[in-house]
Amino acid sequence: MTPDISLAERKRLLVATELTESALQLLALKGFDAVTVDEIAAAAGVSKRTFFRYFASKEDVVVQFLSGMGADIHAALAGRPAAEPVSRSLRHAVAVPLLACTDQHPDHAARALRVVQLILGTPALLARFLERQAAWQEALAEELARRTGLDAGTDLHPRLAAGTALVAFRTALQRWSESEAAEDPMALLDRAFGVVAPALDAQDR
């Protein structure tokens, strides 16, 4: 990659990140239906035309955000030690987007919570979230099969383990979004995995 291309790519990613952050925060604060693309573009300091270079619609912002979240979870699972228990590997993998969003900073955590509430509380966005999770499950199952030597097409364990981990992840997010006391999402995730860990570590051979 040449320096010019690298610089252009960095600029593109910077604009996409700014647009995503502006869109998610506006949508979370005002409601999905109340925000226009013009408002998102203005908040990000770009034109409406620039917005449409990156996203097809307001909903597409969330879809791409979720796709990136899934890619991060998959990459984290692939990077875990091969001999590690499945429950531990999956718990670390699904924790990655939570850690990235909260960043151990109260303000970051508050912004992340608003986005979680937006996605889980808006029927159209919840449907896309569940749709993306189905794709995440398949990708994680393939990775688990590779790590354990099982066949994702015939053995039940990889797909069940992936699905169970994602249900635990979604359950922790749901509880966090409903918590008036703003519970610690990482603690909720640990509690959820404490419940499902024995099933995750049971090999279907």
Side-chain angles (χ1 to χ4, degrees):
M1 181 179 291
T2 66
D4 287 343
I5 294 175
S6 178
L7 180 61
E9 180 64 12
R10 286 199 299 273
K11 182 178 179 181
R12 188 192 72 78
L13 289 173
L14 185 63
V15 173
T17 299
E18 182 63 27
L19 274 171
T20 299
E21 177 66 15
S22 296
L24 291 176
Q25 290 306 312
L26 273 175
L27 294 170
L29 288 170
K30 299 181 65 175
F32 183 75
D33 293 328
V35 177
T36 66
V37 169
D38 287 315
E39 288 178 289
I40 294 170
V46 300
S47 68
K48 185 175 179 179
R49 182 177 179 181
T50 297
F51 174 91
F52 285 117
R53 289 198 193 109
Y54 292 85
F55 304 106
S57 63
K58 292 186 297 182
E59 188 173 311
D60 189 43
V61 176
V62 179
V63 171
Q64 289 196 37
F65 173 73
L66 293 173
S67 295
M69 185 185 295
D72 290 343
I73 291 173
H74 181 267
L77 178 61
R80 300 303 301 176
E84 186 174 61
V86 170
S87 63
R88 188 175 302 169
S89 294
L90 284 167
R91 185 267 175 208
H92 279 285
V94 300
V96 165
L98 273 180
L99 288 170
C101 290
T102 58
D103 196 30
Q104 305 302 311
H105 190 287
D107 185 49
H108 293 177
R111 291 203 306 264
L113 176 57
R114 288 195 295 268
V115 172
V116 169
Q117 291 169 332
L118 166 73
I119 293 172
L120 297 184
T122 306
L125 300 182
L126 176 59
R128 300 311 291 267
F129 178 54
L130 296 176
E131 178 185 272
R132 288 291 88 203
Q133 276 212 321
W136 300 355
Q137 181 178 356
E138 293 305 308
L140 294 179
E142 290 288 342
E143 179 59 30
L144 288 173
R146 184 190 68 78
R147 290 160 57 86
T148 59
L150 298 175
D151 185 337
T154 59
D155 289 289
L156 294 177
H157 188 268
R159 188 168 294 174
L160 282 171
T164 300
L166 290 173
V167 168
F169 174 64
R170 187 169 73 248
T171 301
L173 290 182
Q174 186 71 51
R175 177 62 181 270
W176 186 36
S177 74
E178 297 169 350
S179 172
E180 293 182 5
E183 295 186 58
D184 179 359
M186 296 304 298
L188 290 170
L189 189 64
D190 284 340
R191 285 165 55 190
F193 268 80
V195 173
V196 303
L200 291 173
D201 291 331
Q203 291 294 319
D204 180 26
R205 294 186 183 275

